[in-house]
Amino acid sequence: MKLYYAKGACSVGIHVILAEIGKPYDVQVVSFADQEQYGEAYKAINPKSKVPTLVRDDKSILTEFQAIAMYLALTAPDKKLVPTDPDGLARCLEVMDYVVATIHMQGFARLFRPGNFGPDDALHEQVKTRGRDIAEKGFALMDKKLAGKDYVLGAFSIADAALFYVEYWAVRVMKLPLPANCQRHFETMLARPAVKAALTAEGLA
């Protein structure tokens, strides 16, 4: 398998999952600074111009965080990265979808690229403020889910890899304080060997 990722992007969560599984895989960085995601070479692999992208062993291509995370978990059942009961599986998807679709796409997207939400430069600070509010509300909800637990579902799962990447953005990129349980979760994740390996590989350690 081969993971296409951008340094410090949401793809770091998939990088963590691959490291947790421990099977051989290759990586290829896509430079957002050089806008390689819009180049013809990368668009031939993923016309969405996004990361993560996973090229599987049969050369078929899989995109979107939740899809890739679930595929990896289900093809490595011995690692127990996703619950097997219907309620647990639904809860796992519930967390991942909220993290990606709301905390990331509605919250941090406004903080990172306010111009995508309004062409008027004078409104960008308002856009960023709204993004911060969305992210903080999201972390507050995740904080409640983490009460009395090391991991969001109780045991480590792919949902934790999703939550980790937005926690990483909050702490290391945007310098936003996390609520106590989310901060503890972030530190617990940082201590995992797979997380250390993924961050080191991306030059983020």
Side-chain angles (χ1 to χ4, degrees):
M1 292 184 291
K2 185 173 186 177
L3 172 68
Y4 285 83
Y5 74 95
K7 183 178 179 179
C10 61
S11 47
V12 72
I14 299 299
H15 209 157
V16 167
I17 295 169
L18 283 166
E20 287 281 353
I21 290 171
K23 295 178 182 177
Y25 64 92
D26 296 320
V27 294
Q28 176 68 51
V29 65
V30 180
S31 174
F32 279 14
D34 297 325
Q35 296 194 322
E36 288 182 356
Q37 70 270 36
Y38 301 117
E40 293 304 316
Y42 186 67
K43 285 167 62 179
I45 299 167
N46 184 352
K48 298 174 181 177
S49 295
K50 295 170 59 179
V51 294
T53 299
L54 185 71
V55 180
R56 296 181 284 189
D57 291 338
D58 64 0
K59 305 305 179 184
S60 63
I61 293 168
L62 196 58
T63 65
E64 305 300 333
F65 188 99
Q66 299 97 311
I68 295 172
M70 188 60 66
Y71 169 79
L72 291 173
L74 293 176
T75 53
D78 58 309
K79 301 301 180 180
K80 298 180 180 179
L81 299 180
V82 66
T84 56
D85 63 291
D87 184 70
L89 181 59
R91 294 300 182 186
C92 183
L93 289 170
E94 181 182 42
V95 170
M96 284 202 300
D97 187 68
Y98 185 70
V99 167
V100 176
T102 300
I103 301 178
H104 172 175
M105 298 304 297
Q106 295 187 40
F108 280 100
R110 282 177 165 84
L111 289 166
F112 292 148
R113 297 183 179 86
N116 289 351
F117 294 86
D120 187 348
D121 290 353
L123 298 177
H124 285 185
E125 286 306 313
Q126 293 182 33
V127 171
K128 289 181 180 180
T129 297
R130 177 59 178 150
R132 189 176 296 108
D133 289 345
I134 292 170
E136 288 176 349
K137 177 183 177 181
F139 285 127
L141 292 173
M142 292 298 103
D143 195 66
K144 291 180 180 179
K145 286 187 175 292
L146 284 163
K149 296 181 290 187
D150 287 335
Y151 299 107
V152 70
L153 300 178
F156 176 81
S157 73
I158 54 177
D160 294 291
L163 181 56
F164 170 75
Y165 84 74
V166 290
E167 291 171 338
Y168 179 90
W169 287 347
V171 175
R172 297 283 178 86
V173 181
M174 301 304 297
K175 310 303 180 185
L176 297 177
L178 292 173
N181 292 329
C182 288
Q183 180 65 35
R184 178 173 50 80
H185 176 264
F186 179 62
E187 294 170 0
T188 298
M189 289 293 291
L190 287 175
R192 293 185 71 88
V195 174
K196 292 180 180 179
L199 293 180
T200 298
E202 294 194 18
L204 300 171

